[in-house]
């Protein structure tokens, strides 16, 4: 418990409580509790468990990237089509030498 005592200090607890960044408390092991655990946004039983909680699954990230890539491609294609349409409409208002 002496090794974890720093996480029982009031100054640490207040800093965690006031943090604008989410804080996961995961010091010690499953049976260890500190004041930091009670003021943090989330408590994990171990540091390894904390890592699993805060890091997204690789497949989930790949799926999201694939979805966003598809949306981006659709948007780019639509923008190109709209641009071609607008250009075609604009060209009708101009006489272009060699085109009649």
């Amino acid at each position: 418990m002496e090794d974890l005592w720093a996480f029982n200090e009031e100054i640490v607890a207040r800093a965690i409580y006031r943090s604008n960044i989410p804080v996961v408390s995961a010091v010690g092991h499953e049976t260890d509790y500190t004041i930091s655990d009670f003021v943090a946004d989330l408590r994990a039983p171990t540091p390894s468990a904390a890592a699993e909680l805060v890091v997204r699954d690789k497949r989930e990230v790949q799926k999201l990237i694939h979805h966003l890539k598809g949306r981006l491609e659709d948007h780019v294609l639509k923008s190109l089509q709209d641009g071609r349409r607008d250009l075609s409409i604009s060209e009708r208002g101009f006489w272009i030498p060699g085109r009649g």
Side-chain angles (χ1 to χ4, degrees), residues 3-74:
D3 294 338
L4 304 178
W5 196 254
F7 297 97
N8 283 320
E9 296 290 336
E10 181 180 353
I11 192 168
V12 173
R14 288 186 183 276
I16 291 171
Y17 182 77
R18 286 193 300 259
S19 176
N20 292 328
I21 301 168
V23 175
V24 178
S25 179
V27 295
H29 296 284
E30 289 186 37
T31 59
D32 298 325
Y33 279 88
T34 65
I35 293 172
S36 296
D37 294 327
F38 299 105
V39 294
D41 297 292
L42 179 65
R43 180 195 183 269
T46 64
S48 298
E52 290 177 13
L53 289 171
V54 299
V55 177
R56 282 185 154 177
D57 180 67
K58 181 179 178 181
R59 289 178 299 263
E60 182 183 327
V61 173
Q62 288 173 328
K63 185 177 176 181
L64 176 62
I65 289 171
H66 180 73
H67 171 73
L68 293 173
K69 180 181 176 222
R71 286 185 57 196
L72 179 61
E73 288 172 351
D74 291 345

Side-chain angles (χ1 to χ4, degrees), residues 73-83 85:
E73 288 172 351
D74 291 345
H75 181 74
V76 168
L77 287 174
K78 184 177 181 331
S79 293
L80 286 172
Q81 290 169 348
D82 291 348
R85 184 196 68 231

